[in-house]
Every structure is written in C-alpha cells, then in structure tokens.
Amino acid sequence: MSMNLTETRALLLYVAENMVSSEPILTELDLKIGDGDHGLGMQRGFAAVRDLLKTETFQPKDVGELFLTSGTKMMSSMGGASGAIFGTLFRAGGKAIAGKENFDATALAQFLTAGSKAVFDRGGAKPGDKTMMDALVAAEKQADLVKSKSLKEALIKVVQAAEKGAGNTSNQVAVFGRAKSLGERSLGYIDPGAVSMSFILKYMSEFVNK
C-alpha cells in the first residue's frame, strides 16, 4: 500500500489538525519539567502547516516537496528549539524523498532516517538524553525493519516503537533544555518532545488505518 500526493496531503492535514488539538496534553507535560511552552509551539507550527495544506495555490510537485515545505512552515512559525528540531526533521526528511510521487513504508523509513540524522547533526542529542530523539530513533530503526511491509502495517509497528521510546524517557535524567537544570528531579517525567514525535506518527497511523 502506498499513498499518492493527494492522499499524502490529506494524511499530513490530519496530522496537523490533531497536533493542534494535542496542545493541552503537551503543555501539561512540559509544565512539569520545562518552560510550559512546548504545546503552544507545536500548536502554532502545525496550525501553520494546516493552513498551508488548505491553501489551493500550494501545489507541491511530489511528496518530498510536501514534507519539506511543511517543515519550512514549522521553522518560521513555531519558534524556539521545537521549531528548529521538528522543522529540521520535516525538511531533511522531505529532501530524502524528493521526486517520489507516492508515500509508502520505504519512503517513511527514508524520511525518518534522514530526519533523525539531521536533528542529531543540529542538536547533538542521542537516545538516552531525554529528548524527542528517544522516540525518533526508535521509530527510525523499526521503520527500517518493516520497510517491505504495507504502509498500514509499518506504521503500526513504528508507532509502537516510538511510544515505547517516549515512555522510556521517564527513566532518564535530562541532558538538554530547561529540564537539564532539574537534574535527578527530571526522573519520573516523560519528555514532551518525545511524546510529540510519537503523536505525529500515531496520527499518521490513525489516518491510514481508519
């Protein structure tokens, strides 16, 4: 199973609308160990993506450009570290699948692998540092294992990996961001960025499996 450009655009629109609605959950998580602004930043960024995708004059030539332009929108609207990180993920992932007319399990794996490398190159965070990378790298590894499956099957497995990665952050001491200053007190709390990463994939899976 793969999705054409129109279907992938509808997929991203579904993700964007649900990320906007997830603001209260993400804000609550961030209030515990961060500045409390992560949810609002994600809401702003994905509202901008939603508006872009609803604009009839926006006619990307392939799925790569669709993701890349969405990432650019996030960077310009989200602000803060989240805008840079999630914008980088979408831009680098989009570049990796440039020219593709369909989005399938192979494209998902390429998107996550390239996005993960670009985020690491930008910020230096790795799994175990209590960041979105804990969910992203887990998802990337799983996506590579299931890239020969249908997109539906692949996303179910990838979401499970991302959610496990996000959940594991509650056992970690923060190394980056505001939570870093909490030291051991950051234990027991899930990283909101990792949850955001798992949510993006969860909403993708919901869309293709509904």
Side-chain angles (χ1 to χ4, degrees), residues 10-26 39 42-43 46-47 50 196 199-200 202-204 206-207 210:
L11 163 82
L12 266 187
L13 180 58
Y14 181 85
V15 171
E17 288 173 339
N18 280 278
M19 287 304 291
V20 168
S21 302
S22 298
E23 179 271 319
I25 301 168
L26 298 172
M42 297 301 286
Q43 183 185 53
F46 278 96
R50 175 198 64 201
S196 282
F199 275 6
I200 290 167
K202 180 179 85 164
Y203 297 137
M204 283 187 179
E206 275 181 14
F207 183 85
K210 67 182 178 182

PDB file of all heavy atoms in Angstrom, residues 10-26 39 42-43 46-47 50 196 199-200 202-204 206-207 210:
ATOM      1  N   ALA A  10      -3.631  14.815   2.420  1.00  0.00           N
ATOM      2  CA  ALA A  10      -4.727  14.611   3.370  1.00  0.00           C
ATOM      3  C   ALA A  10      -4.216  13.990   4.677  1.00  0.00           C
ATOM      4  O   ALA A  10      -4.677  14.335   5.771  1.00  0.00           O
ATOM      5  CB  ALA A  10      -5.791  13.723   2.741  1.00  0.00           C
ATOM      6  N   LEU A  11      -3.244  13.096   4.557  1.00  0.00           N
ATOM      7  CA  LEU A  11      -2.597  12.491   5.733  1.00  0.00           C
ATOM      8  C   LEU A  11      -1.950  13.564   6.599  1.00  0.00           C
ATOM      9  O   LEU A  11      -2.158  13.624   7.824  1.00  0.00           O
ATOM     10  CB  LEU A  11      -1.546  11.476   5.273  1.00  0.00           C
ATOM     11  CG  LEU A  11      -0.486  11.038   6.291  1.00  0.00           C
ATOM     12  CD1 LEU A  11      -1.019   9.946   7.194  1.00  0.00           C
ATOM     13  CD2 LEU A  11       0.786  10.555   5.600  1.00  0.00           C
ATOM     14  N   LEU A  12      -1.158  14.425   5.955  1.00  0.00           N
ATOM     15  CA  LEU A  12      -0.468  15.489   6.699  1.00  0.00           C
ATOM     16  C   LEU A  12      -1.448  16.484   7.306  1.00  0.00           C
ATOM     17  O   LEU A  12      -1.213  16.989   8.417  1.00  0.00           O
ATOM     18  CB  LEU A  12       0.516  16.226   5.788  1.00  0.00           C
ATOM     19  CG  LEU A  12       1.967  15.746   5.781  1.00  0.00           C
ATOM     20  CD1 LEU A  12       2.838  16.688   4.964  1.00  0.00           C
ATOM     21  CD2 LEU A  12       2.525  15.611   7.189  1.00  0.00           C
ATOM     22  N   LEU A  13      -2.527  16.748   6.612  1.00  0.00           N
ATOM     23  CA  LEU A  13      -3.549  17.658   7.144  1.00  0.00           C
ATOM     24  C   LEU A  13      -4.185  17.057   8.400  1.00  0.00           C
ATOM     25  O   LEU A  13      -4.401  17.761   9.391  1.00  0.00           O
ATOM     26  CB  LEU A  13      -4.625  17.936   6.085  1.00  0.00           C
ATOM     27  CG  LEU A  13      -5.767  18.871   6.505  1.00  0.00           C
ATOM     28  CD1 LEU A  13      -5.247  20.240   6.945  1.00  0.00           C
ATOM     29  CD2 LEU A  13      -6.772  19.039   5.362  1.00  0.00           C
ATOM     30  N   TYR A  14      -4.438  15.767   8.373  1.00  0.00           N
ATOM     31  CA  TYR A  14      -4.989  15.067   9.546  1.00  0.00           C
ATOM     32  C   TYR A  14      -4.020  15.150  10.726  1.00  0.00           C
ATOM     33  O   TYR A  14      -4.415  15.434  11.861  1.00  0.00           O
ATOM     34  CB  TYR A  14      -5.272  13.609   9.182  1.00  0.00           C
ATOM     35  CG  TYR A  14      -5.871  12.789  10.308  1.00  0.00           C
ATOM     36  CD1 TYR A  14      -7.247  12.794  10.547  1.00  0.00           C
ATOM     37  CD2 TYR A  14      -5.069  12.005  11.126  1.00  0.00           C
ATOM     38  CE1 TYR A  14      -7.804  12.053  11.571  1.00  0.00           C
ATOM     39  CE2 TYR A  14      -5.615  11.254  12.167  1.00  0.00           C
ATOM     40  CZ  TYR A  14      -6.983  11.272  12.376  1.00  0.00           C
ATOM     41  OH  TYR A  14      -7.521  10.528  13.410  1.00  0.00           O
ATOM     42  N   VAL A  15      -2.735  14.920  10.441  1.00  0.00           N
ATOM     43  CA  VAL A  15      -1.701  15.020  11.484  1.00  0.00           C
ATOM     44  C   VAL A  15      -1.676  16.436  12.066  1.00  0.00           C
ATOM     45  O   VAL A  15      -1.666  16.618  13.286  1.00  0.00           O
ATOM     46  CB  VAL A  15      -0.308  14.643  10.915  1.00  0.00           C
ATOM     47  CG1 VAL A  15       0.800  14.969  11.927  1.00  0.00           C
ATOM     48  CG2 VAL A  15      -0.256  13.162  10.555  1.00  0.00           C
ATOM     49  N   ALA A  16      -1.665  17.434  11.183  1.00  0.00           N
ATOM     50  CA  ALA A  16      -1.579  18.831  11.630  1.00  0.00           C
ATOM     51  C   ALA A  16      -2.767  19.210  12.517  1.00  0.00           C
ATOM     52  O   ALA A  16      -2.591  19.803  13.590  1.00  0.00           O
ATOM     53  CB  ALA A  16      -1.511  19.762  10.419  1.00  0.00           C
ATOM     54  N   GLU A  17      -3.970  18.834  12.094  1.00  0.00           N
ATOM     55  CA  GLU A  17      -5.161  19.178  12.878  1.00  0.00           C
ATOM     56  C   GLU A  17      -5.146  18.514  14.249  1.00  0.00           C
ATOM     57  O   GLU A  17      -5.520  19.129  15.257  1.00  0.00           O
ATOM     58  CB  GLU A  17      -6.421  18.766  12.094  1.00  0.00           C
ATOM     59  CG  GLU A  17      -6.681  19.678  10.901  1.00  0.00           C
ATOM     60  CD  GLU A  17      -7.812  19.214  10.005  1.00  0.00           C
ATOM     61  OE1 GLU A  17      -8.165  18.016  10.035  1.00  0.00           O
ATOM     62  OE2 GLU A  17      -8.333  20.054   9.245  1.00  0.00           O
ATOM     63  N   ASN A  18      -4.681  17.274  14.300  1.00  0.00           N
ATOM     64  CA  ASN A  18      -4.633  16.565  15.579  1.00  0.00           C
ATOM     65  C   ASN A  18      -3.496  17.038  16.477  1.00  0.00           C
ATOM     66  O   ASN A  18      -3.627  17.032  17.705  1.00  0.00           O
ATOM     67  CB  ASN A  18      -4.554  15.054  15.336  1.00  0.00           C
ATOM     68  CG  ASN A  18      -5.903  14.463  15.019  1.00  0.00           C
ATOM     69  OD1 ASN A  18      -6.694  14.181  15.904  1.00  0.00           O
ATOM     70  ND2 ASN A  18      -6.194  14.297  13.743  1.00  0.00           N
ATOM     71  N   MET A  19      -2.386  17.473  15.873  1.00  0.00           N
ATOM     72  CA  MET A  19      -1.302  18.054  16.681  1.00  0.00           C
ATOM     73  C   MET A  19      -1.755  19.378  17.305  1.00  0.00           C
ATOM     74  O   MET A  19      -1.406  19.686  18.447  1.00  0.00           O
ATOM     75  CB  MET A  19      -0.048  18.253  15.831  1.00  0.00           C
ATOM     76  CG  MET A  19       0.677  16.958  15.475  1.00  0.00           C
ATOM     77  SD  MET A  19       1.165  15.946  16.892  1.00  0.00           S
ATOM     78  CE  MET A  19       2.444  16.976  17.629  1.00  0.00           C
ATOM     79  N   VAL A  20      -2.527  20.158  16.565  1.00  0.00           N
ATOM     80  CA  VAL A  20      -3.091  21.409  17.112  1.00  0.00           C
ATOM     81  C   VAL A  20      -3.975  21.086  18.325  1.00  0.00           C
ATOM     82  O   VAL A  20      -3.885  21.746  19.361  1.00  0.00           O
ATOM     83  CB  VAL A  20      -3.894  22.159  16.024  1.00  0.00           C
ATOM     84  CG1 VAL A  20      -4.714  23.293  16.640  1.00  0.00           C
ATOM     85  CG2 VAL A  20      -2.944  22.727  14.967  1.00  0.00           C
ATOM     86  N   SER A  21      -4.782  20.044  18.198  1.00  0.00           N
ATOM     87  CA  SER A  21      -5.691  19.651  19.292  1.00  0.00           C
ATOM     88  C   SER A  21      -4.966  19.039  20.487  1.00  0.00           C
ATOM     89  O   SER A  21      -5.520  18.966  21.578  1.00  0.00           O
ATOM     90  CB  SER A  21      -6.718  18.634  18.774  1.00  0.00           C
ATOM     91  OG  SER A  21      -7.459  19.167  17.711  1.00  0.00           O
ATOM     92  N   SER A  22      -3.725  18.599  20.270  1.00  0.00           N
ATOM     93  CA  SER A  22      -2.948  17.955  21.348  1.00  0.00           C
ATOM     94  C   SER A  22      -2.266  18.953  22.267  1.00  0.00           C
ATOM     95  O   SER A  22      -1.590  18.549  23.224  1.00  0.00           O
ATOM     96  CB  SER A  22      -1.889  17.020  20.737  1.00  0.00           C
ATOM     97  OG  SER A  22      -2.497  16.001  19.993  1.00  0.00           O
ATOM     98  N   GLU A  23      -2.425  20.230  21.984  1.00  0.00           N
ATOM     99  CA  GLU A  23      -1.733  21.278  22.776  1.00  0.00           C
ATOM    100  C   GLU A  23      -1.908  21.112  24.291  1.00  0.00           C
ATOM    101  O   GLU A  23      -0.924  21.175  25.031  1.00  0.00           O
ATOM    102  CB  GLU A  23      -2.190  22.667  22.316  1.00  0.00           C
ATOM    103  CG  GLU A  23      -1.564  23.820  23.081  1.00  0.00           C
ATOM    104  CD  GLU A  23      -2.350  24.219  24.321  1.00  0.00           C
ATOM    105  OE1 GLU A  23      -3.585  24.246  24.242  1.00  0.00           O
ATOM    106  OE2 GLU A  23      -1.714  24.492  25.363  1.00  0.00           O
ATOM    107  N   PRO A  24      -3.135  20.889  24.822  1.00  0.00           N
ATOM    108  CA  PRO A  24      -3.279  20.804  26.284  1.00  0.00           C
ATOM    109  C   PRO A  24      -2.454  19.673  26.916  1.00  0.00           C
ATOM    110  O   PRO A  24      -1.855  19.857  27.972  1.00  0.00           O
ATOM    111  CB  PRO A  24      -4.781  20.558  26.485  1.00  0.00           C
ATOM    112  CG  PRO A  24      -5.426  21.075  25.240  1.00  0.00           C
ATOM    113  CD  PRO A  24      -4.450  20.807  24.148  1.00  0.00           C
ATOM    114  N   ILE A  25      -2.406  18.514  26.244  1.00  0.00           N
ATOM    115  CA  ILE A  25      -1.633  17.378  26.773  1.00  0.00           C
ATOM    116  C   ILE A  25      -0.152  17.725  26.793  1.00  0.00           C
ATOM    117  O   ILE A  25       0.546  17.487  27.788  1.00  0.00           O
ATOM    118  CB  ILE A  25      -1.847  16.127  25.886  1.00  0.00           C
ATOM    119  CG1 ILE A  25      -3.318  15.739  25.819  1.00  0.00           C
ATOM    120  CG2 ILE A  25      -1.006  14.959  26.383  1.00  0.00           C
ATOM    121  CD1 ILE A  25      -3.638  14.705  24.757  1.00  0.00           C
ATOM    122  N   LEU A  26       0.343  18.286  25.684  1.00  0.00           N
ATOM    123  CA  LEU A  26       1.772  18.606  25.582  1.00  0.00           C
ATOM    124  C   LEU A  26       2.160  19.725  26.537  1.00  0.00           C
ATOM    125  O   LEU A  26       3.250  19.705  27.127  1.00  0.00           O
ATOM    126  CB  LEU A  26       2.112  18.991  24.135  1.00  0.00           C
ATOM    127  CG  LEU A  26       1.868  17.886  23.095  1.00  0.00           C
ATOM    128  CD1 LEU A  26       2.056  18.424  21.687  1.00  0.00           C
ATOM    129  CD2 LEU A  26       2.796  16.702  23.345  1.00  0.00           C
ATOM    130  N   GLY A  39       3.730  22.811  24.118  1.00  0.00           N
ATOM    131  CA  GLY A  39       2.429  22.571  23.492  1.00  0.00           C
ATOM    132  C   GLY A  39       1.995  23.716  22.595  1.00  0.00           C
ATOM    133  O   GLY A  39       1.504  23.507  21.482  1.00  0.00           O
ATOM    134  N   MET A  42       4.092  23.733  19.372  1.00  0.00           N
ATOM    135  CA  MET A  42       3.642  22.710  18.432  1.00  0.00           C
ATOM    136  C   MET A  42       2.310  23.107  17.804  1.00  0.00           C
ATOM    137  O   MET A  42       2.087  22.908  16.605  1.00  0.00           O
ATOM    138  CB  MET A  42       3.512  21.355  19.138  1.00  0.00           C
ATOM    139  CG  MET A  42       4.813  20.798  19.687  1.00  0.00           C
ATOM    140  SD  MET A  42       6.115  20.542  18.457  1.00  0.00           S
ATOM    141  CE  MET A  42       5.532  19.093  17.610  1.00  0.00           C
ATOM    142  N   GLN A  43       1.446  23.682  18.608  1.00  0.00           N
ATOM    143  CA  GLN A  43       0.143  24.137  18.099  1.00  0.00           C
ATOM    144  C   GLN A  43       0.328  25.202  17.015  1.00  0.00           C
ATOM    145  O   GLN A  43      -0.297  25.141  15.956  1.00  0.00           O
ATOM    146  CB  GLN A  43      -0.689  24.693  19.261  1.00  0.00           C
ATOM    147  CG  GLN A  43      -2.086  25.136  18.850  1.00  0.00           C
ATOM    148  CD  GLN A  43      -2.835  25.790  20.004  1.00  0.00           C
ATOM    149  OE1 GLN A  43      -2.334  26.730  20.642  1.00  0.00           O
ATOM    150  NE2 GLN A  43      -4.012  25.285  20.309  1.00  0.00           N
ATOM    151  N   PHE A  46       1.962  23.569  13.760  1.00  0.00           N
ATOM    152  CA  PHE A  46       1.080  22.697  12.985  1.00  0.00           C
ATOM    153  C   PHE A  46      -0.172  23.430  12.493  1.00  0.00           C
ATOM    154  O   PHE A  46      -0.771  23.021  11.495  1.00  0.00           O
ATOM    155  CB  PHE A  46       0.747  21.429  13.766  1.00  0.00           C
ATOM    156  CG  PHE A  46       1.838  20.394  13.653  1.00  0.00           C
ATOM    157  CD1 PHE A  46       2.822  20.283  14.629  1.00  0.00           C
ATOM    158  CD2 PHE A  46       1.906  19.566  12.551  1.00  0.00           C
ATOM    159  CE1 PHE A  46       3.845  19.353  14.513  1.00  0.00           C
ATOM    160  CE2 PHE A  46       2.923  18.630  12.414  1.00  0.00           C
ATOM    161  CZ  PHE A  46       3.904  18.519  13.390  1.00  0.00           C
ATOM    162  N   ALA A  47      -0.544  24.515  13.157  1.00  0.00           N
ATOM    163  CA  ALA A  47      -1.621  25.358  12.627  1.00  0.00           C
ATOM    164  C   ALA A  47      -1.160  26.009  11.318  1.00  0.00           C
ATOM    165  O   ALA A  47      -1.934  26.120  10.359  1.00  0.00           O
ATOM    166  CB  ALA A  47      -2.015  26.431  13.640  1.00  0.00           C
ATOM    167  N   ARG A  50      -1.270  23.289   8.744  1.00  0.00           N
ATOM    168  CA  ARG A  50      -2.683  23.074   8.385  1.00  0.00           C
ATOM    169  C   ARG A  50      -3.159  24.130   7.383  1.00  0.00           C
ATOM    170  O   ARG A  50      -3.765  23.802   6.364  1.00  0.00           O
ATOM    171  CB  ARG A  50      -3.540  23.124   9.656  1.00  0.00           C
ATOM    172  CG  ARG A  50      -5.053  23.032   9.426  1.00  0.00           C
ATOM    173  CD  ARG A  50      -5.798  23.532  10.642  1.00  0.00           C
ATOM    174  NE  ARG A  50      -5.548  24.957  10.873  1.00  0.00           N
ATOM    175  CZ  ARG A  50      -5.727  25.568  12.043  1.00  0.00           C
ATOM    176  NH1 ARG A  50      -6.160  24.905  13.098  1.00  0.00           N
ATOM    177  NH2 ARG A  50      -5.478  26.869  12.165  1.00  0.00           N
ATOM    178  N   SER A 196       5.477  14.337  21.471  1.00  0.00           N
ATOM    179  CA  SER A 196       5.095  14.975  20.203  1.00  0.00           C
ATOM    180  C   SER A 196       5.508  14.124  19.009  1.00  0.00           C
ATOM    181  O   SER A 196       4.742  13.945  18.061  1.00  0.00           O
ATOM    182  CB  SER A 196       5.731  16.360  20.079  1.00  0.00           C
ATOM    183  OG  SER A 196       5.039  17.297  20.855  1.00  0.00           O
ATOM    184  N   PHE A 199       3.260  11.216  18.768  1.00  0.00           N
ATOM    185  CA  PHE A 199       1.919  11.655  18.339  1.00  0.00           C
ATOM    186  C   PHE A 199       1.854  11.833  16.818  1.00  0.00           C
ATOM    187  O   PHE A 199       0.877  11.446  16.179  1.00  0.00           O
ATOM    188  CB  PHE A 199       1.541  12.976  19.014  1.00  0.00           C
ATOM    189  CG  PHE A 199       0.944  12.833  20.391  1.00  0.00           C
ATOM    190  CD1 PHE A 199       0.868  11.606  21.027  1.00  0.00           C
ATOM    191  CD2 PHE A 199       0.458  13.945  21.063  1.00  0.00           C
ATOM    192  CE1 PHE A 199       0.315  11.484  22.297  1.00  0.00           C
ATOM    193  CE2 PHE A 199      -0.103  13.841  22.328  1.00  0.00           C
ATOM    194  CZ  PHE A 199      -0.174  12.605  22.952  1.00  0.00           C
ATOM    195  N   ILE A 200       2.885  12.447  16.237  1.00  0.00           N
ATOM    196  CA  ILE A 200       2.914  12.668  14.786  1.00  0.00           C
ATOM    197  C   ILE A 200       2.748  11.332  14.057  1.00  0.00           C
ATOM    198  O   ILE A 200       1.949  11.203  13.124  1.00  0.00           O
ATOM    199  CB  ILE A 200       4.236  13.360  14.363  1.00  0.00           C
ATOM    200  CG1 ILE A 200       4.254  14.813  14.853  1.00  0.00           C
ATOM    201  CG2 ILE A 200       4.431  13.311  12.847  1.00  0.00           C
ATOM    202  CD1 ILE A 200       5.618  15.492  14.766  1.00  0.00           C
ATOM    203  N   LYS A 202       1.591   8.512  15.419  1.00  0.00           N
ATOM    204  CA  LYS A 202       0.307   7.910  15.800  1.00  0.00           C
ATOM    205  C   LYS A 202      -0.814   8.422  14.909  1.00  0.00           C
ATOM    206  O   LYS A 202      -1.665   7.656  14.450  1.00  0.00           O
ATOM    207  CB  LYS A 202      -0.010   8.223  17.272  1.00  0.00           C
ATOM    208  CG  LYS A 202      -1.342   7.625  17.736  1.00  0.00           C
ATOM    209  CD  LYS A 202      -1.628   7.922  19.191  1.00  0.00           C
ATOM    210  CE  LYS A 202      -2.281   9.281  19.343  1.00  0.00           C
ATOM    211  NZ  LYS A 202      -2.911   9.446  20.673  1.00  0.00           N
ATOM    212  N   TYR A 203      -0.815   9.739  14.644  1.00  0.00           N
ATOM    213  CA  TYR A 203      -1.874  10.312  13.812  1.00  0.00           C
ATOM    214  C   TYR A 203      -1.739   9.870  12.352  1.00  0.00           C
ATOM    215  O   TYR A 203      -2.725   9.681  11.647  1.00  0.00           O
ATOM    216  CB  TYR A 203      -1.895  11.824  13.937  1.00  0.00           C
ATOM    217  CG  TYR A 203      -2.215  12.301  15.339  1.00  0.00           C
ATOM    218  CD1 TYR A 203      -1.511  13.349  15.942  1.00  0.00           C
ATOM    219  CD2 TYR A 203      -3.215  11.686  16.092  1.00  0.00           C
ATOM    220  CE1 TYR A 203      -1.796  13.772  17.232  1.00  0.00           C
ATOM    221  CE2 TYR A 203      -3.498  12.088  17.390  1.00  0.00           C
ATOM    222  CZ  TYR A 203      -2.775  13.131  17.952  1.00  0.00           C
ATOM    223  OH  TYR A 203      -3.060  13.533  19.237  1.00  0.00           O
ATOM    224  N   MET A 204      -0.485   9.671  11.888  1.00  0.00           N
ATOM    225  CA  MET A 204      -0.283   9.097  10.559  1.00  0.00           C
ATOM    226  C   MET A 204      -0.929   7.722  10.482  1.00  0.00           C
ATOM    227  O   MET A 204      -1.647   7.387   9.528  1.00  0.00           O
ATOM    228  CB  MET A 204       1.212   8.978  10.240  1.00  0.00           C
ATOM    229  CG  MET A 204       1.905  10.255   9.841  1.00  0.00           C
ATOM    230  SD  MET A 204       3.611   9.870   9.320  1.00  0.00           S
ATOM    231  CE  MET A 204       4.197  11.512   8.880  1.00  0.00           C
ATOM    232  N   GLU A 206      -3.249   6.417  12.438  1.00  0.00           N
ATOM    233  CA  GLU A 206      -4.711   6.520  12.543  1.00  0.00           C
ATOM    234  C   GLU A 206      -5.340   6.805  11.176  1.00  0.00           C
ATOM    235  O   GLU A 206      -6.347   6.215  10.806  1.00  0.00           O
ATOM    236  CB  GLU A 206      -5.096   7.664  13.494  1.00  0.00           C
ATOM    237  CG  GLU A 206      -5.122   7.284  14.948  1.00  0.00           C
ATOM    238  CD  GLU A 206      -5.535   8.465  15.841  1.00  0.00           C
ATOM    239  OE1 GLU A 206      -6.040   9.478  15.321  1.00  0.00           O
ATOM    240  OE2 GLU A 206      -5.348   8.336  17.050  1.00  0.00           O
ATOM    241  N   PHE A 207      -4.716   7.702  10.448  1.00  0.00           N
ATOM    242  CA  PHE A 207      -5.261   8.110   9.147  1.00  0.00           C
ATOM    243  C   PHE A 207      -5.256   6.959   8.151  1.00  0.00           C
ATOM    244  O   PHE A 207      -6.261   6.710   7.477  1.00  0.00           O
ATOM    245  CB  PHE A 207      -4.479   9.299   8.581  1.00  0.00           C
ATOM    246  CG  PHE A 207      -5.032   9.812   7.284  1.00  0.00           C
ATOM    247  CD1 PHE A 207      -6.069  10.735   7.272  1.00  0.00           C
ATOM    248  CD2 PHE A 207      -4.539   9.357   6.054  1.00  0.00           C
ATOM    249  CE1 PHE A 207      -6.603  11.210   6.074  1.00  0.00           C
ATOM    250  CE2 PHE A 207      -5.069   9.819   4.854  1.00  0.00           C
ATOM    251  CZ  PHE A 207      -6.101  10.753   4.861  1.00  0.00           C
ATOM    252  N   LYS A 210      -7.743   3.988   9.267  1.00  0.00           N
ATOM    253  CA  LYS A 210      -9.170   4.205   9.579  1.00  0.00           C
ATOM    254  C   LYS A 210     -10.083   3.684   8.459  1.00  0.00           C
ATOM    255  O   LYS A 210      -9.636   3.462   7.347  1.00  0.00           O
ATOM    256  CB  LYS A 210      -9.432   5.688   9.850  1.00  0.00           C
ATOM    257  CG  LYS A 210      -9.272   6.619   8.668  1.00  0.00           C
ATOM    258  CD  LYS A 210      -9.524   8.054   9.112  1.00  0.00           C
ATOM    259  CE  LYS A 210      -9.313   9.013   7.935  1.00  0.00           C
ATOM    260  NZ  LYS A 210      -9.494  10.416   8.301  1.00  0.00           N
TER     261      LYS A 210
END
